[in-house]
């Protein structure tokens, strides 16, 4: 079974530029999560999707961050414009919701903003 | 406000000995707890979990203990192996909130031969 796929793995941009991250969850997983992991910290939830609906986006900085999950499968997280403080690893995870289950994480996208 | 705390940033243990990783939480609503293991340049990988209705869960060399009154859980690895060297994250969840995970900062475990 293929795991959670994320691309790109690494991204270097200059501040004020836009950037987008892509996530393909495990087949059949209806719940998708985006986490932000700063250096030396644990992952922090940005947004959670149940199918195509964003059911928890309270931690997403909506002035510059946006996300979508078209057709309830793949998801894209966008930052526009990026700031220096956005340098971090962006993790995508998926799970089969509706019961207690574990989340399966992708390898993450490491963003460096110069 | 960190609701899940791992106060030891690092731990070094000899191969064959027991590794004990600790985690404390502040939110009494948490009712499901997990440990994740992370290697460099990879995402966290699920290791073991425990529901608040239990006080112990065992899976091979890994055992998680939960002390609800103390809001404390620990992960025991016996015997420790060099391949266990990784960062271990404790996470907690409220099961009726969509299982969004609250993570600690992690403990870096080094198992030396």
């Amino acid at each position: 079974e293929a795991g959670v796929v994320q691309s790109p793995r690494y991204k270097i941009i200059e501040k004020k530029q836009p950037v987008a991250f892509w996530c393909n969850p495990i087949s059949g997983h209806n719940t998708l999560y985006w986490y932000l992991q700063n250096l030396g910290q644990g992952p922090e939830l940005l947004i959670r999707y149940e199918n195509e609906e964003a059911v928890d986006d309270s931690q997403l900085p909506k002035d510059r961050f946006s996300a979508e999950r078209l057709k309830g499968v793949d998801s894209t997280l966008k930052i526009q414009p990026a700031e220096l403080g956005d340098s971090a690893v962006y993790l995508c995870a998926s799970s089969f919701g509706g019961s207690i289950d574990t989340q399966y994480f992708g390898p993450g996208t490491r963003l460096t903003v110069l | 406000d960190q609701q899940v705390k791992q106060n030891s940033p690092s731990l070094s243990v000899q191969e064959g000995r027991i590794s004990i990783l600790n985690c404390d939480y502040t939110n009494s609503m948490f009712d499901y707890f997990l440990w994740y293991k992370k290697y460099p340049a990879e995402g966290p990988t699920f290791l073991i979990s425990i529901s608040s209705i239990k006080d112990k869960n065992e899976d091979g060399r890994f055992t998680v203990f939960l002390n609800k009154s103390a809001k404390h859980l620990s992960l025991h690895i016996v015997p420790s192996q060099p391949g266990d060297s990784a960062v271990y994250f404790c996470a907690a969840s409220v099961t009726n909130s969509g299982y969004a995970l609250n993570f600690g900062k992690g403990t870096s475990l080094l198992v030396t031969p």
Side-chain angles (χ1 to χ4, degrees):
Chain A
E1 178 183 83
V4 176
V5 179
Q6 290 187 248
S7 69
R9 292 294 311 276
Y10 304 91
K11 188 73 176 179
I12 301 174
I13 61 172
E14 293 189 345
K15 62 181 180 182
K16 300 185 182 179
Q17 294 299 305
V19 65
F21 315 124
W22 175 81
C23 174
N24 178 241
I26 292 173
S27 178
H29 282 191
N30 59 325
T31 306
L32 184 146
Y33 310 77
W34 282 102
Y35 286 87
L36 162 71
Q37 185 176 16
N38 287 304
L39 187 65
Q41 304 291 317
E44 300 172 36
L45 180 70
L46 288 173
I47 189 169
R48 174 171 63 93
Y49 281 93
E50 295 288 347
N51 300 304
E52 66 274 12
E53 182 182 358
V55 295
D56 182 0
D57 63 355
S58 58
Q59 301 304 312
L60 189 72
K62 298 181 183 62
D63 56 336
R64 297 184 301 108
F65 286 65
S66 64
E68 61 182 10
R69 190 183 184 198
L70 299 176
K71 300 181 181 178
V73 182
D74 294 359
S75 178
T76 303
L77 178 68
K78 298 178 181 177
I79 308 175
Q80 182 171 9
E83 296 179 352
L84 295 176
D86 296 331
S87 296
V89 176
Y90 292 83
L91 293 162
C92 179
S94 69
S95 68
F96 183 74
S99 62
I100 295 175
D101 202 354
T102 56
Q103 297 176 24
Y104 296 85
F105 284 81
T109 296
R110 179 176 293 278
L111 174 67
T112 302
V113 182
L114 303 176
Chain B
D1 180 30
Q2 195 81 18
Q3 298 186 71
V4 178
K5 300 178 183 180
Q6 294 177 256
N7 293 319
S8 297
S10 62
L11 176 68
S12 182
V13 172
Q14 272 192 318
E15 181 179 7
R17 305 294 289 268
I18 184 171
S19 295
I20 300 176
L21 294 90
N22 293 303
C23 177
D24 298 293
Y25 62 96
T26 58
N27 188 342
S28 57
M29 297 296 291
F30 289 145
D31 58 2
Y32 196 66
F33 305 88
L34 308 91
W35 285 93
Y36 278 81
K37 177 180 181 179
K38 185 182 183 303
Y39 292 117
E42 295 183 11
T45 302
F46 169 74
L47 190 59
I48 192 169
S49 63
I50 188 167
S51 166
S52 60
I53 62 174
K54 295 184 176 180
D55 55 15
K56 177 183 175 181
N57 189 27
E58 191 171 355
D59 184 3
R61 297 184 297 113
F62 303 91
T63 303
V64 57
F65 295 92
L66 175 63
N67 183 334
K68 290 188 292 295
S69 61
K71 294 191 178 68
H72 177 84
L73 64 156
S74 61
L75 174 68
H76 292 209
I77 307 174
V78 182
S80 301
Q81 300 174 354
D84 296 330
S85 298
V87 177
Y88 289 78
F89 290 99
C90 172
S93 171
V94 179
T95 53
N96 64 2
S97 72
Y99 316 127
L101 297 175
N102 294 267
F103 283 87
K105 292 185 178 182
T107 296
S108 179
L109 174 66
L110 176 64
V111 181
T112 57

